[in-house]
Amino acid sequence: MKERKEIHERIAQRLHMQAEEQYRAFACSLLPGVHGVLGVRLPILQRMARELAEEDWRAYLSTARDDSFEEIMLQGLTLARARASLEEKGPYIEHFLPKIDNWSVCDSFCAAFRSAREEPQALLALIDRYLSSEKTYEARFAVVMLLNHAMDAGHLEQALLRLLRVRAPGKSAQVAVAWALSVAYRADPAYTLSFMQQHAFSPFIRKTAFQKMIELRSTGPEEKARLRALRG
């Protein structure tokens, strides 16, 4: 117990030493309503997570503190980077998801799960577990995992069909679906637009998706004009 307390104190001290007031103000402007922001840049948290993932990450996560935005972010990054199967990580993911209350922690957590691509069936099972959740950030977690790690051109149809199962009413989950549609569009524009014509996404998702497609660097001037017309 004493050793774990020392670990937490060391982490908290390191975070406070790396905090920048100017960056904290910037981060708060991007995360309205999120409390406990210290102002530590993401690359620093990623470096700390790599170190923790090489240590006894299970012990760390089982007693980690939630005293700041950065401490919660650090838990997610450590869990994502830990060398273990998705099955073994399952209970830790279940314990961590209720702590997510903003897009930044959710999306950084998902992006760090690069090794998930090595377990495609387990990855899809994990996504399917949370995709239809009524909880905003459980659903967003599933969608962002999908668009990051399971939306390649060879599996586009199944990925898009999964998006139809999202039912969470929160804006953050709906924006994630729109984002996923834009990722699909980048992979196969014609198929994605055809799919959107055949299936009923909400007006908000459609409009947001078209806007994100317009903003893609790969979208040419003529296609931008077409997408603006579809967006309305």
Side-chain angles (χ1 to χ4, degrees):
M1 184 65 69
K2 181 180 178 181
E3 182 180 350
R4 291 181 181 179
K5 182 178 179 181
E6 290 175 351
I7 292 173
H8 297 319
E9 290 177 349
R10 172 169 56 85
I11 289 171
Q13 183 180 31
R14 187 172 174 184
L15 289 173
H16 279 86
M17 287 178 63
Q18 298 285 356
E20 303 173 37
E21 177 56 33
Q22 187 173 1
Y23 185 74
R24 187 193 73 81
F26 170 71
C28 287
S29 71
L30 299 177
L31 299 165
V34 175
H35 302 289
V37 178
L38 300 176
V40 182
R41 295 178 184 270
L42 184 59
I44 294 172
L45 297 173
Q46 291 170 330
R47 186 161 57 249
M48 292 177 66
R50 284 195 293 270
E51 295 170 7
L52 288 166
E54 294 295 329
E55 300 173 5
D56 188 352
W57 59 270
R58 298 170 185 83
Y60 160 64
L61 291 176
S62 66
T63 58
R65 295 175 181 169
D66 306 333
D67 296 341
S68 67
F69 162 82
E70 281 82 356
E71 285 177 283
I72 294 173
M73 176 74 84
L74 187 59
Q75 291 172 45
L77 295 176
T78 300
L79 174 56
R81 292 177 179 275
R83 295 180 181 178
S85 68
L86 287 175
E87 181 179 4
E88 184 177 353
K89 290 182 181 182
Y92 294 92
I93 294 172
E94 184 176 4
H95 178 72
F96 179 70
L97 287 181
K99 301 183 182 187
I100 301 177
D101 64 356
N102 63 83
W103 63 266
S104 182
V105 169
C106 181
D107 298 359
S108 297
F109 178 46
C110 294
F113 262 101
R114 295 171 187 168
S115 62
R117 301 175 191 178
E118 300 170 6
E119 303 177 76
Q121 295 305 314
L123 172 61
L124 291 177
L126 177 64
I127 290 169
D128 288 341
R129 179 177 179 181
Y130 295 104
L131 202 61
S132 301
S133 173
E134 294 289 336
K135 298 179 180 179
T136 295
Y137 285 102
E138 286 188 353
R140 184 177 177 106
F141 163 75
V143 174
V144 179
M145 286 293 285
L146 180 70
L147 70 87
N148 268 306
H149 308 299
M151 192 166 271
D152 56 276
H155 302 87
L156 202 57
E157 180 181 7
Q158 291 303 312
L160 289 171
L161 286 170
R162 278 183 162 85
L163 295 180
L164 296 172
R165 292 160 51 189
V166 177
R167 292 290 180 267
K171 182 178 178 180
S172 191
Q174 300 295 302
V175 169
V177 174
W179 178 15
L181 288 169
S182 74
V183 172
Y185 178 83
R186 184 173 58 197
D188 192 329
Y191 182 80
T192 303
L193 291 181
S194 174
F195 186 91
M196 291 178 68
Q197 289 174 348
Q198 296 173 35
H199 298 87
F201 290 97
S202 72
F204 174 79
I205 289 176
R206 289 178 59 84
K207 187 170 184 177
T208 306
F210 286 134
Q211 181 59 39
K212 289 183 176 297
M213 293 171 189
I214 291 167
E215 294 169 356
L216 290 172
R217 292 183 180 180
S218 57
T219 306
E222 292 184 3
E223 189 63 12
K224 286 182 187 290
R226 181 187 176 195
L227 290 169
R228 288 192 184 98
L230 291 170
R231 180 194 62 187

